Amino acid sequence: MTPAASLVFTTLLSHGPLTRTEVARRTKLSPAAVTKAVRPLMELGYLVEGVDEAARPAVGRPANPVWVDGGRALFIGIKITGDEIIAVLADLCCRIRESRHVRLTGREPEAVLPVITALVQELLTEADGFGVRVRGLGIAISGDVDREDGVVRYSPFLEWRDVPLAEIVGTATGLPVTVDNDVRALTVAEHWFGAGVGRSNFALVTVGAGIGCGLVVHGRVVSGAHGVAGEIGHLSLDPLGPLCHCGNRGCVEAIAADPAILHAVRAATGGQVTDMAEALKLAHSGDPGVRDIYARAGETIGKAIGFLANILGPELVIISGEGLAAYDLVSEGIRDAFAASAFGTAAQCDVMTRPLPFEEWARGAAATAIQSFMGSDTYEE
Amino acid sequence: MTPAASLVFTTLLSHGPLTRTEVARRTKLSPAAVTKAVRPLMELGYLVEGVDEAARPAVGRPANPVWVDGGRALFIGIKITGDEIIAVLADLCCRIRESRHVRLTGREPEAVLPVITALVQELLTEADGFGVRVRGLGIAISGDVDREDGVVRYSPFLEWRDVPLAEIVGTATGLPVTVDNDVRALTVAEHWFGAGVGRSNFALVTVGAGIGCGLVVHGRVVSGAHGVAGEIGHLSLDPLGPLCHCGNRGCVEAIAADPAILHAVRAATGGQVTDMAEALKLAHSGDPGVRDIYARAGETIGKAIGFLANILGPELVIISGEGLAAYDLVSEGIRDAFAASAFGTAAQCDVMTRPLPFEEWARGAAATAIQSFMGSDTYEE
């Protein structure tokens, strides 16, 4: 697909039925370029054209709306967490048709890969019921991922290093596989369907087991020249702060991620606390030491978002992730530290929260598979 | 000019004479789109086509090279520093035809604006000698600049606030005026003609009177949704560090910019040192306290570049600015701190130094004027 066709396709994905004129206006392409991009996609059945009699002009071409035919193809999206695998079957409009959760019994590739393969087979069987082919599989995983080569270079949670995931799963399932960093995949979904629709410059910050960040600049997700981008979790903000697994001190992740908070709460309370739910309960019961730990986490996240705003000047920062469960405890710190560290008009950036369940991350993985499919030569099959 | 035409034009600016086929390959536009973009630019005389008999194929269209006719239009570029104004007369290829330096006797707009106006008149007279019209004026100034509105919102060095510079100078000179942040303007020049040619993702970090940073992501300069971007000077890296004029502690600028270094050297030596040349001399003579101050400046810059690499993953970081005079004193700190703070493959980013005299900054200002001219409706006149 040409860049223009890809732009037209994603514009129709995000904004639903639009006339060609409206597509041209939104994409800043010429009407001729839009028509040229639309034609082969209509011939292949990925786009359909309706007839809107009311909008038909007295003279000139009819202003018929065009939209993506969601039912024309299916995709599977998988999000791997440290504890479970979430898989969705999504259509070409990235609407979720089926979803599955499976607990993991181990984190090594030998334990995780058979679970993925079994889930994919299950969803392929479901897909048969729809009578439509599954055209691609997207896998989202945290860490340093080389999407082009399909290799998980380093995933700290799973302790994976240099796993050629696309090749392994592709061989096992027969599907074209796209592997991407999980936050980047979620950012694609937010850009196409979420709070990022119509935004050319925004950041998605995820807080929870880790601290992640996906970036859209000039309308496209930033991947980094060497695969690392949006890595705010390892900004070392406090030279005297706690040691991080990366070797530095005072990284955002070493202060504000769930394991860091749990570690600090244990140290402050003498070790009785076993999980985040208990830590949260203690904070909500008013324990001042525990509340301070959350407040510091909030300040650290807010400062990191301020740094992001100073460097990129996004119009919007979306905060999401399972860490939102503690948002009442961290929000003041985030707000104040962001305001203090953002320079000048960078502070005008909107900061919002948005809960996104793990299905949405898996949907992001499916979105990356749709990207790959539409960017490949095989979409014409 | 359409986005495609603008892309074709800047590709020809950067890469000199190219055949249409080569332009299509580099821009990823279709050959038809290139021909469509080239035609009106040739009719207006901004592009010319040569005849390369040797490259003429036996059949098919001739592979004639196309290039920008530099002599077809002139532009003025002005860089304002705290001490002087540097102005250049540049052609459409942004080659410098004339340049001028004028010392400033005051920094308030009332002192600076007449100097700018006089310089522009002088260069307009020079332009008469070339028999070509000056089609635009670009002004580059440090600080928070709203290019769209042509307003200098806040320039700390000059202590300007909300100066509608484009309007004032436009009225005084009769030229279309583009005002931009100076580092962003220099980044345009680096992208078109310097170390950034052919790079889609790079950063230009300038050290000296201030610490600035221009960013190119997905092939375009990042301006920030509200005008602030690349503001690494006000990343507060050391919570216990010296107070910055922005109100925070330990900002990069409060440790590594020239005034901060001078202040620290004075404090360490009892106040005899009056300028950077003396500070440098002391460091080169081996004064350990002064050398430590430079080393700390280097570490701070290196850490900031590491943060930039973690967030954006650029392929290249160019370090420039008058602070390069002390590069032998800061280079080790930059290298080590960058390596320590860059996460994973972000450390693979190339870091290079490149001296760029103030004429080059003024040339960047002229490049922004060319951008505006080519983006305007008046280029067809």
Side-chain angles (χ1 to χ4, degrees):
Chain A
M1 200 182 279
T2 64
S6 165
L7 185 59
V8 167
F9 181 78
T10 53
T11 301
L12 287 168
L13 260 188
S14 295
H15 301 282
L18 295 175
T19 63
R20 286 178 172 78
T21 312
E22 187 59 19
V23 172
R25 194 186 66 77
R26 286 179 184 265
T27 57
K28 300 197 176 79
L29 292 169
S30 70
V34 171
T35 295
K36 198 179 155 197
V38 162
R39 197 179 304 127
L41 291 169
M42 280 185 49
E43 282 166 8
L44 293 162
Y46 299 128
L47 297 183
V48 285
E49 183 170 29
V51 178
D52 185 348
E53 287 297 338
R56 183 181 289 272
V59 288
R61 277 204 265 186
N64 291 340
V66 178
W67 63 87
V68 175
D69 180 5
R72 180 66 176 72
L74 290 170
F75 298 85
I76 294 172
I78 285 180
K79 151 83 171 159
I80 309 178
T81 76
D83 306 314
E84 60 174 350
I85 292 188
I86 303 93
V88 298
L89 183 68
D91 66 18
L92 185 59
C93 286
C94 218
R95 284 179 300 232
I96 297 176
R97 300 293 188 95
E98 297 284 337
S99 80
R100 299 279 187 280
H101 287 235
V102 177
R103 302 291 303 173
L104 286 172
T105 52
R107 291 181 177 187
E108 58 281 12
E110 295 71 27
V112 175
L113 292 170
V115 179
I116 293 177
T117 311
L119 264 172
V120 170
Q121 293 306 342
E122 202 180 318
L123 289 174
L124 284 173
T125 307
E126 290 288 342
D128 284 342
F130 293 102
V132 181
R133 261 177 74 189
V134 172
R135 305 300 295 256
L137 163 64
I139 305 180
I141 182 168
S142 74
D144 179 359
V145 177
D146 185 332
R147 174 167 169 165
E148 204 158 314
D149 292 340
V151 174
V152 179
R153 281 196 294 229
Y154 177 46
S155 181
F157 289 122
L158 297 162
E159 289 174 40
W160 287 13
R161 273 189 195 278
D162 300 316
V163 178
L165 193 59
E167 194 190 321
I168 299 172
V169 179
T171 305
T173 63
L175 291 172
V177 180
T178 304
V179 183
D180 208 340
N181 169 278
D182 56 350
V183 183
R184 277 211 288 275
L186 183 62
T187 304
V188 174
E190 276 299 279
H191 192 206
W192 284 2
F193 313 109
V197 168
R199 308 272 191 162
S200 339
N201 296 287
F202 73 92
L204 169 66
V205 171
T206 57
V207 295
I211 307 285
C213 173
L215 300 168
V216 168
V217 177
H218 297 149
R220 285 167 55 198
V221 173
V222 178
S223 297
H226 302 285
V228 167
E231 193 45 88
I232 65 167
H234 295 283
L235 301 182
S236 151
L237 295 188
D238 181 358
L240 306 174
L243 196 66
C244 181
H245 61 82
C246 77
N248 282 325
R249 284 197 173 274
C251 289
V252 178
E253 203 155 287
I255 297 171
D258 284 353
I261 291 175
L262 192 59
H263 185 265
V265 169
R266 274 187 194 138
T269 56
Q272 322 96 307
V273 179
T274 57
D275 62 17
M276 292 311 289
E278 284 182 48
L280 253 184
K281 210 169 141 188
L282 265 182
H284 284 146
S285 75
D287 184 305
V290 175
R291 292 185 75 88
D292 281 353
I293 289 163
Y294 276 102
R296 187 183 178 204
E299 284 159 22
T300 306
I301 294 165
K303 189 171 181 181
I305 295 175
F307 277 29
L308 201 63
N310 290 348
I311 289 177
L312 278 172
E315 45 187 315
L316 170 70
V317 175
I318 306 158
I319 305 176
S320 191
E322 65 276 23
L324 282 191
Y327 197 71
D328 60 312
L329 299 166
V330 296
S331 61
E332 194 180 324
I334 291 179
R335 196 180 54 234
D336 292 352
F338 168 73
S341 60
F343 182 76
T345 51
Q348 290 174 19
C349 159
D350 286 329
V351 179
M352 65 177 280
T353 57
R354 200 167 125 80
L356 295 165
F358 280 130
E359 271 84 10
E360 201 61 30
W361 296 63
R363 189 184 183 211
T368 66
I370 295 177
Q371 277 186 326
S372 297
F373 176 63
M374 285 303 172
S376 72
D377 297 327
T378 59
Y379 78 97
E380 295 193 21
E381 267 172 32
Chain B
M1 200 183 279
T2 63
S6 166
L7 184 59
V8 168
F9 181 77
T10 52
T11 301
L12 287 167
L13 261 187
S14 295
H15 301 281
L18 294 174
T19 63
R20 286 178 172 78
T21 311
E22 187 58 19
V23 171
R25 194 186 64 77
R26 286 179 184 265
T27 57
K28 299 195 177 82
L29 292 168
S30 70
V34 171
T35 295
K36 197 179 156 197
V38 162
R39 196 179 304 128
L41 292 170
M42 280 186 48
E43 282 166 8
L44 293 162
Y46 299 127
L47 298 183
V48 285
E49 183 169 31
V51 178
D52 185 347
E53 287 298 337
R56 183 180 288 272
V59 290
R61 276 203 264 186
N64 291 340
V66 179
W67 63 87
V68 175
D69 180 4
R72 180 66 176 73
L74 289 169
F75 298 86
I76 295 172
I78 285 180
K79 150 85 171 157
I80 308 177
T81 77
D83 305 313
E84 60 174 350
I85 292 187
I86 303 94
V88 298
L89 184 67
D91 66 17
L92 185 59
C93 286
C94 218
R95 284 179 299 233
I96 297 175
R97 300 292 189 96
E98 297 284 337
S99 79
R100 299 280 187 281
H101 287 235
V102 177
R103 301 292 303 174
L104 287 172
T105 52
R107 291 182 177 187
E108 59 283 10
E110 295 70 26
V112 176
L113 292 169
V115 179
I116 292 178
T117 310
L119 264 172
V120 170
Q121 292 304 341
E122 203 181 319
L123 289 174
L124 285 173
T125 307
E126 291 288 340
D128 283 344
F130 293 102
V132 181
R133 263 178 73 188
V134 172
R135 304 299 296 256
L137 164 63
I139 304 179
I141 183 168
S142 72
D144 178 0
V145 176
D146 185 331
R147 174 168 169 165
E148 205 159 313
D149 292 340
V151 174
V152 179
R153 281 196 293 228
Y154 178 47
S155 181
F157 290 120
L158 297 161
E159 290 175 39
W160 287 13
R161 272 189 195 277
D162 299 317
V163 177
L165 193 57
E167 195 191 322
I168 298 171
V169 179
T171 305
T173 63
L175 291 173
V177 180
T178 305
V179 182
D180 208 340
N181 169 277
D182 57 351
V183 183
R184 276 210 289 275
L186 183 63
T187 304
V188 174
E190 277 299 279
H191 192 205
W192 284 3
F193 313 110
V197 168
R199 307 273 193 163
S200 339
N201 296 287
F202 72 93
L204 169 65
V205 171
T206 58
V207 295
I211 307 285
C213 173
L215 300 168
V216 167
V217 176
H218 297 149
R220 287 167 54 198
V221 173
V222 178
S223 298
H226 302 286
V228 167
E231 193 47 88
I232 64 166
H234 295 283
L235 301 182
S236 152
L237 295 188
D238 180 358
L240 306 173
L243 196 65
C244 181
H245 61 82
C246 77
N248 282 325
R249 283 197 173 275
C251 289
V252 179
E253 203 155 287
I255 297 170
D258 284 353
I261 291 174
L262 193 58
H263 185 266
V265 170
R266 274 188 193 137
T269 57
Q272 321 95 307
V273 178
T274 58
D275 63 17
M276 291 311 289
E278 285 182 47
L280 254 184
K281 211 169 138 188
L282 265 182
H284 284 146
S285 75
D287 184 305
V290 176
R291 291 185 75 87
D292 282 352
I293 290 164
Y294 277 101
R296 187 182 177 203
E299 285 159 22
T300 306
I301 294 165
K303 188 170 180 181
I305 294 175
F307 278 29
L308 201 62
N310 290 348
I311 288 177
L312 279 172
E315 46 187 314
L316 170 71
V317 175
I318 305 158
I319 305 176
S320 191
E322 65 275 24
L324 282 191
Y327 197 70
D328 60 312
L329 299 165
V330 296
S331 61
E332 194 181 322
I334 290 178
R335 196 181 53 236
D336 292 352
F338 168 73
S341 60
F343 182 75
T345 52
Q348 290 175 18
C349 159
D350 285 330
V351 180
M352 65 178 281
T353 58
R354 200 168 124 80
L356 296 165
F358 279 132
E359 272 83 10
E360 202 60 31
W361 295 62
R363 190 184 183 211
T368 66
I370 296 177
Q371 276 184 327
S372 297
F373 175 62
M374 285 302 174
S376 73
D377 297 327
T378 60
Y379 79 99
E380 296 193 20
E381 266 174 31

